Structures are given as structure tokens and as C-alpha cells.
Amino acid sequence: APAPPQTFRRPEPRIAPGVSVKVPQLGPWLKGEPVTTFEHDQVYVFEMFSTNCSHCEEHFDLICEIVRTFSPRGVRFISVTGESEDKVKAWLAKPGKERVDWSVACDPGEVMTRAWQGGTLRNFTPRFFVVRNGQLQWIGHPNLSEGPLQQIVDGTFDLPKAREEFTLDAVVTAADNVIDNLLRSCKRSGDWQPLFDMLDSVVEQVPERAGTFQAERFMAMLGPADRVDRGYDFGRSLLRAYAKDPRTLRKIGRAHV
């Protein structure tokens, strides 16, 4: 009997804007006073980083600038890493790191890191988790944080919209990971039907990004699946269906044999 079609189950991130969180148990604190409670209306920015992360180093100047901009407005910054105390102390002793005038704490066993990062369905550094009154407000890369931080401080932040956008991005990332893994499997087996079954399921489960995943099908048909004639027919149907969807059109435009 043929194998049942591959299906995608839409996940729900445990950690997202709007979710209530407890004060993380961190230590040792290498800079700044320990955070033991969330003070009313205080805005906290927890930055997940690693001392050997090239992206963290690349954005170090930007993070310094964000701290300089928002610390005078009452925002408290805490950089958190699961690395050892000795390793973080050595990093802080490097030239240029005297500019780190905000809190730095270790996360033994990466308890907080796994719970917060893993709960979002996506894990990357550097990354900001912004908390106010024990509730996550915004999660994202520091280079996207200035606008949300400004709005959070001003009290104009649209939390429901942030939750909706973040959740969709997390679901899309989860689907992308499933598709990437299946793509590798299909390349090994030469059987592409499981990939197309999965894409059908993702389109059904994530209708907000249906065009993006239909474009993934088009790219697979033109590329590794070698269904070129049918692929171009499918691509033309996509152009008609998504003529006003720039995201899908850009994806289709990147397809090549």
C-alpha cells in the first residue's frame, strides 16, 4: 500500500508577545544588580547572546547605541548567555567591551535560554526579549528593535498585532524547517511526492502564506524534481493567482532551472 500523504500540523509557540513570564533565575551576575522581580511599568530587555557568536559581535555597536538611546528613558538591559562565568569574564575583559555598561548574567544550564528561545520555535542570537509588567511585548533581532521599543516606552505599542505577526513568522519558520528536511530526504530517495504532499498540507494549514509555499512547489518542480514543463504551467497559474502579492512574485522570480 502507498504511504499516507505527508501532513503538517500547525504549531503554536509557547513564547510570544502577550505571554506572561516569570522572572528568570539567572546567575552569577557579572554586571549590574540581579533582577529578582519585575517592577511595575519597568521595561526590561533581555538580550540572548554568546561570546563566540559572530552575529552578536557584528551587532555589538548597534546594541551599544540602543542601550545609550533607551537607558535614559528607563529601559533596563540585561545580556544573558549560557556560557561559563570564566568565559564571559574573559569576553568582558577584551578591548572595547568596557562599553558594556548594562547588566550581564549567566544562565547556568541554559534553563532560561532553552525555555525562552526554544519556546518561540526559532533560535538565534543576538535576540531581544522585551518584558513589561511580567508580559512579553516584543521578540526579535536588535536591528529591528528601535521602533517597537519606542512604542513600548511611549505606551503606543500594538501588542495584539505584534503577537499575530510573531506567531505567523514562527509557524512559517517551522514549516520551512520541515520542508527543508523533506527536500533533502527526497533528493536522496528520488521520490518527490512526499514533498508535494507536505507543501499541499502547509498551504492548507498556513493560508496566510499560501502563495509563498506554492512558489516553493514551483521552484522544486523547475529544479531538483525536474518537472520543468508542468512546473512552468504551474508557475503561470501562480502569476495569475498572485498577481497582486509582491511576496509571492519575488519568490517566483528567484526560481531558476
Side-chain angles (χ1 to χ4, degrees):
Q6 298 274 352
T7 58
F8 176 74
R9 293 186 178 181
R10 181 169 178 147
E12 184 73 20
R14 300 188 309 276
I15 298 295
V19 169
S20 295
V21 290
K22 295 181 179 179
V23 178
Q25 300 301 304
L26 301 171
W29 289 72
L30 305 184
K31 277 182 170 286
E33 291 297 318
V35 174
T36 58
T37 184
F38 288 136
E39 298 178 14
H40 181 67
D41 270 348
Q42 171 72 58
V43 177
Y44 301 86
V45 177
F46 292 88
E47 181 222 353
M48 300 296 185
F49 86 106
S50 171
T51 63
N52 58 7
C53 166
S54 60
H55 296 292
C56 299
E57 191 64 31
E58 178 185 350
H59 290 89
F60 178 72
D61 289 344
L62 171 65
I63 292 169
C64 290
E65 183 62 32
I66 292 170
V67 173
R68 282 196 299 270
T69 299
F70 288 97
S71 287
R73 302 196 62 184
V75 177
R76 179 162 183 194
F77 290 82
I78 306 102
S79 289
V80 179
T81 176
E83 296 167 296
S84 69
E85 178 179 0
D86 289 345
K87 191 169 185 179
V88 182
K89 282 183 175 178
W91 178 79
L92 287 169
K94 290 183 177 180
K97 296 305 183 288
E98 67 277 359
R99 296 161 62 194
V100 179
D101 57 0
W102 59 89
S103 298
V104 179
C106 295
D107 177 21
E110 297 189 320
V111 175
M112 175 194 179
T113 303
R114 287 199 305 271
W116 287 30
Q117 289 271 51
T120 66
L121 307 180
R122 191 179 182 193
N123 191 334
F124 64 86
T125 52
R127 195 182 200 185
F128 282 176
F129 290 75
V130 185
V131 178
R132 188 173 198 168
N133 294 328
Q135 188 179 51
L136 283 165
Q137 303 290 304
W138 185 82
I139 303 169
H141 197 284
N143 64 8
L144 301 173
S145 67
E146 186 172 357
L149 275 173
Q150 186 72 51
Q151 294 166 17
I152 291 167
V153 170
D154 292 343
T156 61
F157 188 64
D158 189 339
L159 183 56
K161 181 180 178 182
R163 181 182 179 91
E164 179 181 345
E165 292 176 347
F166 180 88
T167 300
L168 177 57
D169 285 345
V171 169
V172 168
T173 297
D176 283 338
N177 290 337
V178 170
I179 291 167
D180 286 346
N181 289 333
L182 196 52
L183 181 64
R184 288 191 288 270
S185 175
C186 291
K187 283 181 177 178
R188 290 192 298 269
S189 69
D191 179 7
W192 292 94
Q193 194 56 46
L195 176 67
F196 296 131
D197 290 341
M198 178 60 72
L199 285 166
D200 286 341
S201 181
V202 170
V203 167
E204 180 181 347
Q205 290 292 311
V206 194
E208 307 96 321
R209 290 287 187 272
T212 298
F213 292 106
Q214 294 284 32
E216 291 273 4
R217 172 189 285 272
F218 172 60
M219 294 170 73
M221 294 174 80
L222 262 60
D226 194 23
R227 301 183 181 184
V228 177
D229 291 341
R230 280 177 288 174
Y232 277 119
D233 287 341
F234 182 65
R236 284 188 283 269
S237 71
L238 290 185
L239 290 175
R240 292 190 295 270
Y242 296 97
K244 297 182 179 180
D245 182 353
R247 186 193 302 269
T248 300
L249 294 177
R250 284 195 297 270
K251 189 109 180 180
I252 293 172
R254 290 198 294 270
H256 61 278
V257 178

